[in-house]
Short mmCIF file of all heavy atoms in Angstrom, two decimals:
data_model
loop_
_atom_site.label_atom_id
_atom_site.label_comp_id
_atom_site.label_asym_id
_atom_site.label_seq_id
_atom_site.Cartn_x
_atom_site.Cartn_y
_atom_site.Cartn_z
N LEU A 1308 5.56 -16.00 -16.67
CA LEU A 1308 5.85 -14.60 -16.90
C LEU A 1308 5.11 -14.14 -18.15
O LEU A 1308 5.28 -14.72 -19.23
CB LEU A 1308 7.36 -14.36 -17.05
CG LEU A 1308 8.19 -14.64 -15.80
CD1 LEU A 1308 9.66 -14.26 -16.03
CD2 LEU A 1308 7.64 -13.91 -14.57
N GLY A 1309 4.26 -13.13 -18.00
CA GLY A 1309 3.49 -12.62 -19.14
C GLY A 1309 2.56 -11.53 -18.66
O GLY A 1309 2.33 -11.36 -17.46
N GLU A 1310 2.00 -10.80 -19.63
CA GLU A 1310 1.08 -9.69 -19.34
C GLU A 1310 -0.35 -10.21 -19.43
O GLU A 1310 -0.75 -10.75 -20.48
CB GLU A 1310 1.33 -8.59 -20.38
CG GLU A 1310 0.48 -7.36 -20.26
CD GLU A 1310 0.94 -6.44 -19.12
OE1 GLU A 1310 2.11 -6.51 -18.72
OE2 GLU A 1310 0.08 -5.67 -18.64
N VAL A 1311 -1.12 -10.07 -18.35
CA VAL A 1311 -2.52 -10.51 -18.40
C VAL A 1311 -3.30 -9.52 -19.25
O VAL A 1311 -3.20 -8.31 -19.08
CB VAL A 1311 -3.11 -10.60 -16.98
CG1 VAL A 1311 -4.61 -10.86 -17.03
CG2 VAL A 1311 -2.41 -11.69 -16.19
N ASP A 1312 -4.08 -10.07 -20.18
CA ASP A 1312 -4.84 -9.21 -21.10
C ASP A 1312 -6.31 -9.11 -20.71
O ASP A 1312 -6.86 -8.02 -20.62
CB ASP A 1312 -4.69 -9.77 -22.52
CG ASP A 1312 -5.30 -8.84 -23.54
OD1 ASP A 1312 -5.03 -7.63 -23.47
OD2 ASP A 1312 -6.07 -9.31 -24.39
N THR A 1313 -6.93 -10.26 -20.44
CA THR A 1313 -8.34 -10.26 -20.02
C THR A 1313 -8.63 -11.48 -19.14
O THR A 1313 -7.87 -12.46 -19.16
CB THR A 1313 -9.33 -10.38 -21.22
OG1 THR A 1313 -8.87 -11.44 -22.06
CG2 THR A 1313 -9.48 -9.11 -21.99
N VAL A 1314 -9.75 -11.38 -18.41
CA VAL A 1314 -10.25 -12.53 -17.66
C VAL A 1314 -11.66 -12.80 -18.18
O VAL A 1314 -12.48 -11.88 -18.27
CB VAL A 1314 -10.29 -12.24 -16.15
CG1 VAL A 1314 -10.99 -13.38 -15.40
CG2 VAL A 1314 -8.89 -12.01 -15.60
N ASP A 1315 -11.92 -14.06 -18.52
CA ASP A 1315 -13.26 -14.45 -18.97
C ASP A 1315 -13.93 -15.17 -17.80
O ASP A 1315 -13.66 -16.35 -17.55
CB ASP A 1315 -13.12 -15.36 -20.20
CG ASP A 1315 -14.46 -15.91 -20.66
OD1 ASP A 1315 -15.49 -15.61 -20.04
OD2 ASP A 1315 -14.46 -16.67 -21.66
N LEU A 1316 -14.79 -14.44 -17.08
CA LEU A 1316 -15.40 -15.02 -15.87
C LEU A 1316 -16.32 -16.19 -16.21
O LEU A 1316 -16.37 -17.16 -15.46
CB LEU A 1316 -16.20 -13.93 -15.13
CG LEU A 1316 -15.41 -12.83 -14.42
CD1 LEU A 1316 -16.35 -11.83 -13.76
CD2 LEU A 1316 -14.46 -13.40 -13.37
N GLU A 1317 -17.04 -16.07 -17.33
CA GLU A 1317 -17.98 -17.16 -17.67
C GLU A 1317 -17.21 -18.39 -18.15
O GLU A 1317 -17.52 -19.52 -17.77
CB GLU A 1317 -18.97 -16.71 -18.75
CG GLU A 1317 -19.79 -15.46 -18.37
CD GLU A 1317 -20.43 -15.54 -16.99
OE1 GLU A 1317 -20.85 -16.65 -16.60
OE2 GLU A 1317 -20.49 -14.51 -16.29
N GLY A 1318 -16.15 -18.16 -18.97
CA GLY A 1318 -15.38 -19.29 -19.50
C GLY A 1318 -14.29 -19.76 -18.55
O GLY A 1318 -13.58 -20.73 -18.84
N ARG A 1319 -14.12 -19.07 -17.41
CA ARG A 1319 -13.11 -19.41 -16.41
C ARG A 1319 -11.71 -19.55 -17.03
O ARG A 1319 -11.06 -20.61 -16.92
CB ARG A 1319 -13.48 -20.68 -15.64
CG ARG A 1319 -14.75 -20.51 -14.83
CD ARG A 1319 -14.91 -21.63 -13.84
NE ARG A 1319 -16.09 -21.41 -13.01
CZ ARG A 1319 -16.48 -22.19 -12.03
NH1 ARG A 1319 -15.79 -23.26 -11.73
NH2 ARG A 1319 -17.55 -21.93 -11.32
N ALA A 1320 -11.26 -18.47 -17.67
CA ALA A 1320 -9.92 -18.50 -18.28
C ALA A 1320 -9.30 -17.11 -18.23
O ALA A 1320 -9.99 -16.09 -18.34
CB ALA A 1320 -10.01 -18.98 -19.73
N VAL A 1321 -7.97 -17.10 -18.05
CA VAL A 1321 -7.18 -15.86 -18.07
C VAL A 1321 -6.40 -15.86 -19.38
O VAL A 1321 -5.72 -16.84 -19.69
CB VAL A 1321 -6.19 -15.83 -16.88
CG1 VAL A 1321 -5.25 -14.63 -16.98
CG2 VAL A 1321 -6.95 -15.82 -15.55
N SER A 1322 -6.50 -14.78 -20.16
CA SER A 1322 -5.74 -14.69 -21.42
C SER A 1322 -4.57 -13.76 -21.24
O SER A 1322 -4.71 -12.66 -20.70
CB SER A 1322 -6.62 -14.13 -22.54
OG SER A 1322 -7.69 -14.99 -22.75
N LEU A 1323 -3.42 -14.21 -21.73
CA LEU A 1323 -2.22 -13.38 -21.68
C LEU A 1323 -2.04 -12.67 -23.02
O LEU A 1323 -2.59 -13.11 -24.05
CB LEU A 1323 -0.99 -14.22 -21.36
CG LEU A 1323 -1.06 -15.10 -20.11
CD1 LEU A 1323 0.33 -15.70 -19.82
CD2 LEU A 1323 -1.53 -14.31 -18.90
N ALA A 1324 -1.23 -11.61 -23.02
CA ALA A 1324 -1.05 -10.82 -24.24
C ALA A 1324 -0.44 -11.65 -25.37
O ALA A 1324 -0.67 -11.37 -26.55
CB ALA A 1324 -0.17 -9.61 -23.93
N ASP A 1325 0.33 -12.70 -25.03
CA ASP A 1325 0.96 -13.52 -26.09
C ASP A 1325 0.01 -14.61 -26.62
O ASP A 1325 0.42 -15.48 -27.38
CB ASP A 1325 2.26 -14.15 -25.58
CG ASP A 1325 2.02 -15.19 -24.47
OD1 ASP A 1325 0.84 -15.47 -24.15
OD2 ASP A 1325 3.00 -15.71 -23.92
N GLY A 1326 -1.25 -14.58 -26.17
CA GLY A 1326 -2.24 -15.52 -26.68
C GLY A 1326 -2.44 -16.75 -25.80
O GLY A 1326 -3.38 -17.52 -26.00
N THR A 1327 -1.58 -16.95 -24.81
CA THR A 1327 -1.74 -18.10 -23.91
C THR A 1327 -3.06 -17.97 -23.14
O THR A 1327 -3.40 -16.87 -22.68
CB THR A 1327 -0.58 -18.13 -22.86
OG1 THR A 1327 0.64 -18.04 -23.55
CG2 THR A 1327 -0.63 -19.38 -22.00
N ALA A 1328 -3.78 -19.08 -22.98
CA ALA A 1328 -5.00 -19.07 -22.17
C ALA A 1328 -4.77 -19.99 -20.97
O ALA A 1328 -4.30 -21.13 -21.13
CB ALA A 1328 -6.18 -19.56 -22.99
N LEU A 1329 -5.05 -19.49 -19.78
CA LEU A 1329 -4.89 -20.28 -18.55
C LEU A 1329 -6.28 -20.57 -17.99
O LEU A 1329 -6.95 -19.67 -17.47
CB LEU A 1329 -4.05 -19.52 -17.52
CG LEU A 1329 -2.63 -19.13 -17.94
CD1 LEU A 1329 -2.02 -18.16 -16.92
CD2 LEU A 1329 -1.76 -20.38 -18.06
N ARG A 1330 -6.70 -21.82 -18.08
CA ARG A 1330 -7.99 -22.23 -17.52
C ARG A 1330 -7.89 -22.29 -16.00
O ARG A 1330 -6.81 -22.60 -15.48
CB ARG A 1330 -8.31 -23.63 -18.09
CG ARG A 1330 -9.58 -24.27 -17.66
CD ARG A 1330 -9.53 -25.78 -17.93
NE ARG A 1330 -8.48 -26.48 -17.19
CZ ARG A 1330 -8.51 -26.78 -15.89
NH1 ARG A 1330 -9.55 -26.41 -15.14
NH2 ARG A 1330 -7.53 -27.44 -15.32
N TYR A 1331 -8.97 -21.95 -15.29
CA TYR A 1331 -8.91 -22.05 -13.83
C TYR A 1331 -10.19 -22.64 -13.25
O TYR A 1331 -11.26 -22.53 -13.86
CB TYR A 1331 -8.63 -20.69 -13.18
CG TYR A 1331 -9.71 -19.64 -13.40
CD1 TYR A 1331 -10.91 -19.66 -12.66
CD2 TYR A 1331 -9.55 -18.62 -14.33
CE1 TYR A 1331 -11.90 -18.71 -12.86
CE2 TYR A 1331 -10.53 -17.66 -14.54
CZ TYR A 1331 -11.71 -17.71 -13.80
OH TYR A 1331 -12.68 -16.76 -14.01
N ASP A 1332 -10.06 -23.24 -12.07
CA ASP A 1332 -11.24 -23.61 -11.27
C ASP A 1332 -11.48 -22.54 -10.21
O ASP A 1332 -12.60 -22.32 -9.79
CB ASP A 1332 -11.02 -24.97 -10.61
CG ASP A 1332 -10.87 -26.06 -11.66
OD1 ASP A 1332 -11.87 -26.36 -12.34
OD2 ASP A 1332 -9.73 -26.56 -11.85
#
Side-chain angles (χ1 to χ4, degrees):
L1308 294 185
E1310 180 77 23
V1311 172
D1312 187 47
T1313 47
V1314 173
D1315 175 359
L1316 289 179
E1317 303 311 324
R1319 296 194 177 182
V1321 173
S1322 298
L1323 307 189
D1325 66 4
T1327 309
L1329 301 170
R1330 179 199 62 76
Y1331 64 77
D1332 296 292

